[in-house]
Structures are given as structure tokens and as C-alpha cells.
Amino acid sequence: MTRNTFVISGMMAALGVCAVIYSLSTSEAAASSWPVVRSPIQKDVAIESKIDDWLAKMSVEQKVGQMIQAEIKSISPDDAAKYHIGSVLNGGGSWPTDKADGPLGAWLSMANLFHGASMDTGDGRLAIPIMWGTDAVHGHNNVVGATIFPHNIGLGAANNPALMRDIGTITAREVAVTGIDWTFAPTVAVAQDARWGRTYESYSSDPKIVAELSKELLIGLQGHPALDNFLSEQKIIATTKHFIGDGGTQAGDDQGDTVMSEDDLFTIHGQGYVQTIGAGVQTVMASFSSWNGDKLHGNQYLLTDVLKTRMGFDGFVIGDWNGHAQVDGCSNISCAQAVNAGVDMFMVPEDWKAFQANTVSQVKSGEIPMARIDDAVRRILRVKYRAGMFDSGKPSAHELAGRAKLIGHDNHRAVARQAVRESLVLLKNDNDVLPINPKSKVFIAGSGADNPAIQSGGWTVTWQGRDQVSRVMNPTSYYKNHITIAQSLTSAVKSAGGTLVDKTDMQSADVAVVVFGEEPYAESDGDLTSLNFDLAANKDFQILQDLKAKNIPTVTVFISGRPRGVDAAIDISDAFVAAWLPGSEGGGVSDVLLDNEYGFKGRLPFDWPASSDNAATTYRYKRGYSYVSSTQSGR
Ligand code: GLC
């Protein structure tokens, strides 16, 4: 019998929580050795006893209701109470009013209504507080005016664990202002093929970077017992997602099939779960994807035997958006297989009523054992107790509720600006064109220079960063207080005594800055068959060609959710910066482009492809590259 020993220490030690060593006999382990991970939040006998009491008095309808999460646009607070619904969510681009830039207070008002209804014991109902989940994945990004951080790919380039904890703390505070309890973050995807439309939600193709950064974000979001702030009123419940192997699908096909050995599945895609469970994450979201052809939402071995029994996860598993319907024999309204496999709460945005009725029938028929239902409800109530939801009163009574000044607070935006600075990766700098002297004559151009929708990418106020039907990018009004790269560069050059020149006078420029790249997308809408970026008819590339013909030193700032094959653009530029999806603080880009104390710190979190017919195989720069590190010894 060989033994595997895992040392889970890292920031835990820094937290004053001694390094925790687990050993695992592998004789009974599966082909790989999933570790036993002890959460810093151990079971509380008093809480478990209270849950015993609840289970004893709940009807099957009430129990199944707790296992359902409905979308706020498809359920009223009264119906949520009437059907004993345990949770609601606002999907990407879903707001409490029909306007994105509606009153901020509408969020808290709606949270109060859902909470009040769930605590109303009229008609013999049970007072079990409802929990509201949202995708605050790069700040409180559904809310106009919130601080919008760089998407995860940029944070992976920055690779600053302490900064991640600050980002989590800030995100939790801004979410708490709106009365929401829970964010579906961190994503611990370890994207292996950048053709995947969700690559920008992944920190890196390196499991170690993903594991460390997600753990720190989590501690910022939820707090930690060693910091004595675990799930305080300044913190929110978090979700590690999407379990497991979301970033490993063949050809980067979103919701596709991750085909690999169990050892590789653990080694490549499991490290974020080890670290975040070890830091106390309370929910895990099941992945739409499959493992070796088996949909995760129906995979009892991974969801129950591995995640819960072997690794010891004692929070609850939330399904993804009707993800259960992708299990063979299932639909939006019925999936006993997923219940039995170990999904505890089902994200059933619209069809929640039928799903509840069918699941109740499946329990009554014995297709779903009551013990499974009781286990799921126990896990859900355990998390609600740990989050203090039974005692904390209505959302508007919470410490940060309604404190609108915290949304997009200058202190928060300063941290986001630092994150932007540290996320930038310099790929090329011929003739030391960078840094730019702010006193010079600067020509700014490019479709991404003054475009907040391109700058923030998907999952920003709307799901796709654009209208899903017309595909028109979000209006500028959705980006209140955002600073674009052009705006910040212009003000910095002017205040330094420099000059901005326009297109008609570009010949007189000392340097040009051209900003362009990908337009926003999310999930499968962003899937590609090739990473090649078509420059042939691209107007931004034509500007680069024009500048080259005029011998004007040119800096290209490429905005994208992933590396792309842009050899011709890199070759024609004197300097080339990968800026990823910076978010609200374009000032972080001008800070580094101009001659001041910052400098380039980012390193490529993914390999950068060469331009070719299928750029997913040949690379121009490898992960970890930066022009800075390649030219300065000892870095
Ligand atoms: C989406 C995503 C998931 C998100 C959920 C709720 O389809 O897969 O990451 O948390 O739905 O918006």
C-alpha cells in the first residue's frame, strides 16, 4: 500500500493556521489519489441538532423546495414562499427592475421582499431564510457603477495572491451593499485550450496559479475562522466552480467532454477544489461538461464519492443553469439521476414549479431515497446557519446594506487600478518605445481605445457585454464612472504638458497608441475553431499599416479574453502589450505606458499562439513569458 501525503499549507500557515498534513492510503483510493481535505469550518453540533429538528417537521414539498433556485424574473416573493423555494438568483444581465441602470436601492428592496416572504410563517409555512446568488465574478458586475476588476485571465497574469484577497474583500462589500448573500465565484477552471469561450474566466493553464489565486479570492469573499471574520456581515457565501474539468474539454468546446485519466483530472483540474475546500468554501457548482463522456451533473462518483465522501466537502453542490437537463433521460423539469448523483440545489431558472412537483413524485415513488433529500437539505441549511442567515434579520438590517457610497468607492477603484497595472504583459518593445514620455505628441487610435464594453468584456451589466439578439455592445451608460484607456491617457499626457494629435495630424506624432482586440462575449458565444485573429479586413490593423508607412513609433495595446494569433500586428508594432480585459480602470494601462514608477509586472498566464490555420498548436511565446523578464537577468 503506498501512501500519499499532501501538505496543505500555503497561506494557511500565514493565517496562523498551521500547515495541515493529510495522509491518504491509496489502497482503496481510485486510480488517482484525491486528498482528504479538512475545512477550517468543522461541523457544529448545535447547528446539526437544529437541522435535525427542521428535517423532522418539513414536508417532502418543503424539503424539495429548499433544493431549488429560481431566477428572479420567473418567481415572485410570494410564490417563493408558497413553494418553499430555498434560493433565487439573478442571471447575467438580470436586474431587479427592467433597466440595467435602475435605482441601486431596487436590489436591496427586492432582497428584503424575498427574505420577508421566506420568513413569513403564515399558512403554516416554515421560516427558513431564502438565499440570493449572483455572478459577481469580476466585481459586482451586474450592478451599474460597481468596481469592475480585470477578468481572471488578467489577474492570473498579475499573479499577486495578496491582491486577490483584497479583490475578494471589496467584491464581498459591494455585493453586501445590495443585500445579496452569495456569489458564484471563484472559477477554478484551468483552461487548456484558449479556443474556449470562457478562457478569460480562468486564471491560468497552470494549476498552481489557479489554486493559489482562487484560495486567496475565496478568503477575501467569505473570510476565514483564523481571521475571525468568517461569513461576517461584510462577507458573502462563495462558490468554487465548475466541478470538475470545465477548462479541459476537447478543442475548448464549451460544455463539452474532458477526456483524460482520473489522475490527470485531479492533477490538472482538481487543485482549486483542494485549496478552496481547505479554506472553507461553502458551495461548489457542478460543471456543464462531461468527464470521459459522462455529464458531471449526473456523475455520482465525482460529485459524491470523490467531492463529498473522499475530500470531505460538507457544504452543498449547486447545479448550473438547467445543467441537470443535459444528463441522459433528464429535462429542465425532471432529473432524479442528478439528485441521486449528489446535486443538492438545482438552478432551475424558469421551470422550478414543474421540477419541484416531479421531484416530489420521484421521492414518493422511491426513485429518489428520502435519505438523499435529507442529506441535500441538511447541507443547504448548514450553509444558511453558518452564514448566520437565521439570525441576521432582513437584508436591509445588515451592516453594509444600502451604503451606496461603497459601490465603486475610490479606494476600491484604486485596488482595481493596481490590478490592471500588474496584469499587463509586455510582449515586445523595440527601440524602447515604452515607456512613453507624457510630454510628447501622442496619437491615440483603435476600436478599443475609448470603448468601455470592449474594455470590460462579458459578464458586465449584461451576460454577453452586448445585446444577445442584436449583438450590439452595451450602451456607454452601463459603464458609469468607468475610465477608458483613451480617457486616462489623454488626461495624463495633457496634465504633463504633452499634446494629443488627431488622425489628420498623425504625421506629427512622436508616438502612436493603438488599442483594439476582441468584442465582448461569454460562454459558448466565445468558442472558436481557431485562435487566429483575422487582420485582413481589420480597420485597426489598417491604422497600424498606415503608421508603419509613416514611420511613426507605435504601441499596440491588445484587449482580449485570451491569447490570439496576431503575428502580423505584433510584427508591425514597435511595442505590443497584452492587456486582457481590464474592466473599469483604464487608468491602470496609461499608468504603465507612461514614464513613471510602475513598469510591467505581468507574465503570460497561457501560451501565446503563432498565427496559423490552427493556432492551437504552435506558439510564439510560452506561458510565463514577458519581454521584461526575457531582457533583464535575474528576474
Ligand atoms: C451560467 C454559468 C455559471 C453561472 C450560472 C448563473 O450558465 O455556467 O458560471 O454561475 O449560469 O448565471
Side-chain angles (χ1 to χ4, degrees), residues 138 141-142 148 151 456-463 465 474 479 482:
H138 64 137
N141 40 258
N142 284 294
I148 302 299
H151 268 295
S456 284
W459 292 105
T460 313
V461 184
T462 64
W463 179 39
N474 292 345
Y479 302 94
H482 286 218

Side-chain angles (χ1 to χ4, degrees), residues 104-105 108 140 143-147 170 173-178 399-414 480-481:
L104 178 73
L108 186 57
H140 196 5
V143 172
V144 169
T147 306
I170 290 165
R173 287 164 62 84
E174 295 200 16
V175 170
V177 167
T178 59
E399 183 185 350
L400 301 182
R403 289 179 52 184
K405 288 189 169 55
L406 289 175
I407 301 288
H409 191 282
D410 286 349
N411 294 348
H412 297 175
R413 297 182 62 183
K480 190 175 98 181
N481 302 332

Side-chain angles (χ1 to χ4, degrees), residues 268-577:
I268 299 168
H269 300 285
Q271 302 311 309
Y273 296 92
V274 173
Q275 290 303 323
T276 54
I277 293 170
V281 71
Q282 289 300 294
T283 72
V284 167
M285 185 180 291
S287 180
F288 280 121
S289 57
S290 302
W291 177 47
N292 297 335
D294 189 4
K295 278 289 175 185
L296 256 295
H297 276 71
N299 192 310
Q300 180 162 354
Y301 174 67
L302 291 174
L303 289 174
T304 298
D305 300 349
V306 169
L307 179 63
K308 295 177 178 178
T309 308
R310 163 80 69 203
M311 295 175 78
F313 174 64
D314 77 347
F316 70 82
V317 172
I318 171 90
D320 203 338
W321 191 281
N322 285 325
H324 54 278
Q326 296 189 24
V327 176
D328 284 348
C330 288
S331 69
N332 285 1
I333 62 173
S334 172
C335 193
Q337 298 92 310
V339 178
N340 291 335
V343 177
D344 300 305
M345 182 182 281
F346 286 77
M347 194 183 291
V348 195
E350 291 87 19
D351 305 306
W352 51 270
K353 198 179 291 185
F355 182 85
Q356 180 181 30
N358 288 328
T359 305
V360 167
S361 303
Q362 288 156 353
V363 176
K364 289 180 175 173
S365 71
E367 188 178 358
I368 300 173
M370 180 59 84
R372 174 73 272 272
I373 297 295
D374 286 347
D375 172 56
V377 176
R378 177 175 295 278
R379 288 170 175 271
I380 292 165
L381 297 185
R382 180 184 290 150
V383 173
K384 291 185 175 183
Y385 270 112
R386 284 173 173 170
M389 294 181 72
F390 282 90
D391 308 314
S392 57
K394 61 183 180 179
S396 57
H398 298 176
E399 183 185 350
L400 301 182
R403 289 179 52 184
K405 288 189 169 55
L406 289 175
I407 301 288
H409 191 282
D410 286 349
N411 294 348
H412 297 175
R413 297 182 62 183
V415 173
R417 187 164 178 154
Q418 174 194 344
V420 173
R421 287 195 295 267
E422 297 186 10
S423 69
L424 305 179
V425 182
L426 183 60
L427 299 185
K428 176 183 184 183
N429 190 24
D430 286 355
N431 315 313
D432 290 335
V433 166
L434 286 173
I436 295 168
N437 180 336
K439 291 184 171 58
S440 43
K441 287 185 174 180
V442 182
F443 171 58
I444 303 172
S447 56
D450 198 25
N451 186 319
I454 289 178
Q455 193 168 298
S456 284
W459 292 105
T460 313
V461 184
T462 64
W463 179 39
Q464 295 286 330
R466 61 168 76 225
D467 182 279
Q468 279 171 248
V469 176
S470 68
R471 301 190 65 75
V472 171
M473 286 189 271
N474 292 345
T476 303
S477 63
Y478 284 13
Y479 302 94
K480 190 175 98 181
N481 302 332
H482 286 218
I483 302 291
T484 65
I485 295 167
Q487 287 168 336
S488 63
L489 207 46
T490 298
S491 59
V493 167
K494 281 184 175 173
S495 60
T499 313
L500 280 300
V501 298
D502 63 20
K503 188 173 169 55
T504 56
D505 190 22
M506 71 162 41
Q507 187 61 59
S508 71
D510 299 314
V511 64
V513 177
V514 181
V515 186
F516 76 101
E518 292 185 322
E519 294 197 354
Y521 53 83
E523 304 194 42
S524 54
D525 278 49
D527 279 4
L528 294 171
T529 52
S530 165
L531 285 173
N532 238 6
F533 191 91
D534 183 4
L535 294 168
N538 183 287
K539 289 188 170 36
D540 298 305
F541 185 61
Q542 287 161 11
I543 294 171
L544 291 177
Q545 291 172 312
D546 196 7
L547 288 162
K548 188 69 177 175
K550 293 176 166 65
N551 289 319
I552 297 169
T554 297
V555 177
T556 293
V557 177
F558 192 67
I559 305 284
S560 66
R562 59 196 144 192
R564 295 296 299 270
V566 284
D567 283 347
I570 297 174
D571 294 341
I572 203 171
S573 305
D574 297 282
F576 194 94
V577 177

Side-chain angles (χ1 to χ4, degrees), residues 70-83 85 88 113-114 117 130 352:
E71 216 285 337
I72 57 171
K73 287 286 191 296
S74 72
I75 192 168
S76 67
D78 286 348
D79 272 354
K82 181 179 173 187
Y83 291 89
I85 300 302
V88 291
L113 288 175
F114 275 108
I130 197 166
W352 51 270

